[in-house]
Amino acid sequence: MHRYIEYLKEIEERKSQGLHPKPIDGAELLSEVIVQIKDVANEHRKDSLNFFIYNVLPGTTSAAGVKAEFLKEIILGESIVEEISPAFAFEQLSHMKGGPSIKVLLDLALSDDVSIANEAAKVLKTQVFLYEADTERLEEAFKNGNEIAKEIIESYAKAEFFTKLPEVAEEIKVVTYIAGVGDISTDLLSPGSDAHSRSDRELHGKCMFEHNKERQNELMELQEKHPDKTVMLIAEKGTMGVGSSRMSGVNNVALWIGKQASPYVPFINIAPIVAGTNGISPIFLTTVGVTGGIGIDLKNWVKKYDEAGNLVLDEDGEPVLEQAYSVETGTVLTINTKKKKLYKGDEELIDISSSLTPQKMEFIKAGGSYAIVFGKKLQTFAAKVLGVEIPPVFAASKEISHEGQGLTAVEKIFNKNAVGTSGATLHAGSYVRVEVNIVGSQDTTGLMTSQELEMMAATVISPIVDGAYQSGCHTASVWDLKAQRNIPRLMKFMNDFGLITARDPKGAYHSMTDVIHKVLNDITVNDWAIIIGGDSHTRMSKGVAFGADSGTVALALATGEASMPIPESVKVTFKGKMKDHMDFRDVVHATQAQMLKEFGGENVFQGRVIEVHIGTLPSDQAFTFTDWTAEMKAKASICISQDDTLIESLEIAKGRIQIMIDKGMDNEKQVLQGLIDKADQRIAEIKSGEKPALTPDDNAKYYAEFVVDLDIIDEPMIADPDVHNEDVSKRYTHDTIRALSFYGGDKKVDLGFVGSCMVHKGDLKIVSHMLRNLEKKHGNVEFNAPLVVTAPTYNIIDELKEEGDWELLQKYSGFEFDDAAPKSTARTEYDNMMYLERPGCNLCMGNQEKAEKGDTVMATSTRLFQGRVVADSDRKKGESLLASTPVVVLAAILGRTPTIEEYEAAVEGIKLTQFAPPLKKLTSGPGHKISY
C-alpha cells in the first residue's frame, strides 16, 4: 500500500495550502484503495470508500477503468460492499462519462441476467459518450436479435438522453460582480504564470483574480449574502475574456461561481454566467458554451448623440459614452430564458436573444456543448441502424441562404466543409457543423485537453483529421521542475493519441519548441482548410483558423468536427505604395488605426472574419497580419492570395514539413508525408486551372468594406497600452496606435524583445543587417537596454546559419540558448546585451519569463495586456509597447525611443518586409464560382 501512503502524505501537504485531496486518476492507487475497501477491518477503509465514491476522475483515466470493473463486481454480486448497493453502483457508472464505464454497462446490458440487463439499459439510455467500438457492439447485438440492444438503440434514435433531462429554469436570478473596468484578459482569471497548475483544478482556482485574496473574499461574501442567486461576473466598459483561448479561465470562473457537474467528481463545475459591456470575446464565449454557461452582451454603456443626432466626441475625438443602466456590484437581475430578456425587477433592460439561441439553450440544458455534439452523432447512428428518419429533437441547424447573393471566402470554406445540412448554399449567420482539417494543441493547455479527451472517453484521433500537432513552445523558455514533470507526460499521451508531437516521448528525435501557430501555418496545405488550435493566435494565412479553448480542441481531435455560426466578414483591401523605410508591421498597426477612424471608433473587426486581400505576400509574412487579428478582436482572418503566391507558400510549407520528417517526427500513419502529398495535389490544381486559389465572389455581401491607404503611412506605428489613460477602460487595449514621433525620441526603454510568432526569417535578418550597419558606422554596437531575440522556429535559425546572419547575432549576444543544457530557472534580471533565446513564446507568453517589474518594454510581440510581458512595480506601471523589428532593435541600442531621423538613418539600405497591393481584384465572377 505504498502508493496509498504516498497519497496520504500528499494530502497533508495540500492541507497546508488549504487544498482538498487531489482527485485520483491512477489505476495503481485506486487498486490499493479497493483492497482496503474489501478489508472490513482496515483502518483506512472509511477514507478509502470516500475516495472511491467521490474522488476518482471519470472517462478513460486508468483509475476510471479500475473503478468501473469494481462496480461491475458489486453489481454481479462478486464483491459485497455494504455501503455500495448494486443500485448505487449503477448510479456511479452513470456519472463516469464513457470509456470503461460504457464497456461495463454494455457487458451487463448484453448479459443473460435479464434483471441486471434491464438496469444497465436504463443507465445506457442516459449516456452519450459512445465511440465506434461501443456502437459496433450494440449494432451487432441488435442484428443478432437482442431485445435490450434494440430498446437502447430505439431510445438513442429518440434522443431520450436529451429529451428526458430537466428543462432550463424560466427565471435565473443573478447578482452582479464587476471583475474589472475595461477589457478583462483571461490572464486575470487564469494567469499565464500559473499554467503549470491548470490540470489541478482546485489548486489553479486559487490564482483567480491573479491571486488577489481581497477580490476572492468579496466574491465569497457576495455569494453568502445571495445564496439563492448565481453571481454574474462582469467586464464593465469592456469585453470579457480577451487575449487567450483559455479553458482554464472559464474553469476557474465556473469553480468560483458555477455549480458542481457531478456529486462524484470534485472541482469540475459548469454553468458560469459572465457578461461584458462590449460582450464576450468570441473564443471565450465558445468556452462558456462548453460548460453550459451563459455569456451576455450587456450594452449598458451607449454612445451619446446630441439633439441633432450627431455623435458627441470628447477632446481626444473619442465617442462619449453614457450609462443606459447600472450593473454595479451587488445589483440583482433576472435572466428570463423564455422571453430572452434581462430584467431588473419588473423593468426590462435588454433583449438577450443572442445569448439564448436554441443551440445555446441546448448546451445549458445538457450541461455543456460536448453532450450535444456526441448526442447528435449517437442519434444519427441509431436512426441509421433502425433505418428510420432522424426525429427532429435538436434545434435545426440554422440555415440562412440569400438567393442570388455571392459568397465571401469564409462562406465558401464553410459550405465546402459543412456536414448534416440540407445542401442549400449557406450565408453568414447559418449555424453548422463542419469537418476540421488541422488541429493544434499547445503545451500549457494540452494537459487540460488530454483531461477533456479522457473525460469524453476518446482514445484515438478522428480519421477525418488531416493532421494534428502538439507543441512545446509555451514552456520552451525554462525547463524547470514543473515542465519536466508535466511535458513528457503530455507528449506521451498526445503521441499515443495520434498527434505529431514536438517532443518524442522516447527521446528519439531532437525536441522542437517551435511556436504552435507557426507550425500550424506550415502544416496547413490547403487554402480551403478549417483549422482549430488551442491558442488565440491560431490565425493561419492559408485556410481559415479559429483559436479555441482546450475543450473545443479535444472535441475536434476526437470527432474531427466543430460547430459554430458562419461569421460575417469585413473585407480589407489596400491602395497606394509602401514607403521604403516602412515595415509591414507598420501596415498592420495602421490598419487598426485607420479602421477605427473610418468607422467612428467602432471596431467593425470584433467577432468577425477579416478577409484581407493581401495577394502578393507569402504565408510567412502574411502571418504577421493574421496573427495580429486576434488583438483586433476578430473571430478569424482569411488571406486572399494570388495563384503564384499561394504556390510559393505551399512550396515553403512542403520544405518545412520535410524537415519534420527528416527529424523523425512522422508517425506510423505517415501523417506528415500525407500533408506533402496534399500540398502537391493542391499545387497541381492551381497550375492546371482546375481549382485556382480561393477567392470570394464579386457579389458577396460584407458587414463592412475597408481600404487601407498605404500612402499616408509615413512613420513607424506603435501600439501603446496607454497605462495612464484617465479612462481605465481604454488602458491595455490594442486600439491606441501612435506614430513614432509622438514620443519625441526621449521615452526611456528598459528592454527590447524581438519575437516570437509575429516575426519571420526576414525580421531576424533585419536585426543582423542593422547590427552590421551600425558596426560599420561606429566600429562597435553598444546596447543601452537588453535585447531579447526569440526566433519562432528552429528552421529559421538553421537558414540564418547557412546565410551567415546567425554568426553576427552570436557575436553580439551575451547569452545563446543551448538545447543540451536548457535554463532551469527563469531570468529575473537582464544586462544591457543581446540574448539569443530558444525558439518558443518567451516573454510574449509571460508564464515563465518576464521583463523586470515596472519596465517599459518595446516588443514585436502581440501582448500589451497588464502583467503579461511585464508586471507593475511599486515605482511604476509596467508597459509593453508593440512595434516593428527595426524600431525595437534601435530602441534597445539607444535605451529610448528613436527619433524619426535616427530611425530612417538606421534602416537605410535594409530590405524591410515590403508589401505591394495586388494589381487586379482578387474576386470571382458569377460564372467562376468554384464548386465547394
Side-chain angles (χ1 to χ4, degrees), residues 76-133:
L76 293 175
E78 297 169 0
S79 289
I80 306 296
V81 179
E82 184 182 346
E83 297 85 351
I84 304 176
S85 65
F88 189 31
F90 271 123
E91 182 183 347
Q92 287 193 69
L93 283 168
S94 75
H95 285 258
M96 290 182 66
K97 297 185 75 172
S101 63
I102 296 295
K103 178 186 177 299
V104 163
L105 287 166
L106 284 170
D107 290 345
L108 298 171
L110 302 178
S111 70
D112 295 329
D113 189 316
V114 177
S115 174
I116 289 176
N118 281 322
E119 290 303 312
K122 286 180 186 176
V123 177
L124 274 169
K125 290 174 187 177
T126 67
Q127 303 297 295
V128 293
F129 292 101
L130 277 71
Y131 286 85
E132 282 71 15

Side-chain angles (χ1 to χ4, degrees), residues 863-912:
R863 297 310 202 194
L864 50 64
F865 302 116
Q866 186 174 19
R868 172 60 77 95
V869 173
V870 56
D872 295 341
S873 71
D874 293 335
R875 61 185 173 88
K876 67 183 285 287
K877 287 181 175 291
E879 51 185 340
S880 177
L881 285 76
L882 310 180
S884 66
T885 293
V887 169
V888 172
V889 174
L890 192 54
I893 290 169
L894 297 172
R896 56 173 173 78
T897 52
T899 64
I900 185 64
E901 293 77 19
E902 288 171 324
Y903 169 81
E904 288 182 0
V907 299
E908 188 175 354
I910 296 179
K911 186 179 179 183
L912 303 178

Side-chain angles (χ1 to χ4, degrees), residues 569-757:
S569 294
V570 176
K571 182 179 178 180
V572 175
T573 55
F574 302 86
K575 69 177 182 179
K577 184 179 183 301
M578 272 187 76
K579 294 174 175 56
D580 290 341
H581 64 282
M582 290 291 94
D583 184 82
F584 183 65
R585 177 65 182 259
D586 301 316
V587 174
V588 175
H589 285 170
T591 299
Q592 178 85 335
Q594 291 186 26
M595 177 275 296
L596 290 169
K597 185 176 181 181
E598 173 79 12
F599 295 99
E602 179 192 355
N603 183 0
V604 296
F605 294 152
Q606 183 164 349
R608 302 184 177 91
V609 171
I610 302 177
E611 184 185 284
V612 55
H613 289 232
I614 217 155
T616 60
L617 212 55
S619 62
D620 267 19
Q621 290 94 315
F623 183 78
T624 302
F625 188 97
T626 57
D627 200 17
W628 179 259
T629 62
E631 314 317 334
M632 296 177 187
K633 300 180 185 176
K635 179 83 171 173
S637 180
I638 295 180
C639 291
I640 307 302
S641 183
Q642 295 178 165
D643 286 351
D644 57 342
T645 308
L646 179 57
I647 290 171
E648 179 187 350
S649 296
L650 290 171
E651 291 290 358
I652 292 170
K654 282 172 54 185
R656 301 268 171 84
I657 297 169
Q658 187 60 53
I659 289 170
M660 296 171 75
I661 294 173
D662 294 343
K663 280 188 168 191
M665 297 176 71
D666 215 348
N667 55 20
E668 290 178 5
K669 294 185 178 179
Q670 293 192 301
V671 165
L672 293 176
Q673 183 57 53
L675 292 173
I676 289 180
D677 296 341
K678 286 179 172 67
D680 283 331
Q681 180 184 347
R682 184 71 188 104
I683 290 169
E685 290 173 345
I686 298 168
K687 286 183 175 178
S688 68
E690 176 189 347
K691 194 172 184 181
L694 170 68
T695 53
D697 293 327
D698 282 335
N699 58 338
K701 185 178 180 182
Y702 297 89
Y703 176 82
E705 298 187 37
F706 172 60
V707 182
V708 181
D709 189 349
L710 301 177
D711 287 333
I712 63 175
I713 309 170
D714 57 5
E715 60 176 303
M717 309 296 288
I718 292 172
D720 194 317
D722 204 7
V723 300
H724 298 294
N725 193 310
E726 290 183 5
D727 185 344
V728 177
S729 69
K730 292 176 183 175
R731 299 176 191 170
Y732 306 105
T733 75
H734 286 73
D735 296 343
T736 303
I737 309 293
R738 290 170 170 157
L740 181 64
S741 58
F742 173 87
Y743 302 94
D746 56 11
K747 182 177 178 66
K748 188 176 185 294
V749 172
D750 299 300
L751 182 141
F753 173 50
V754 173
S756 51
C757 63

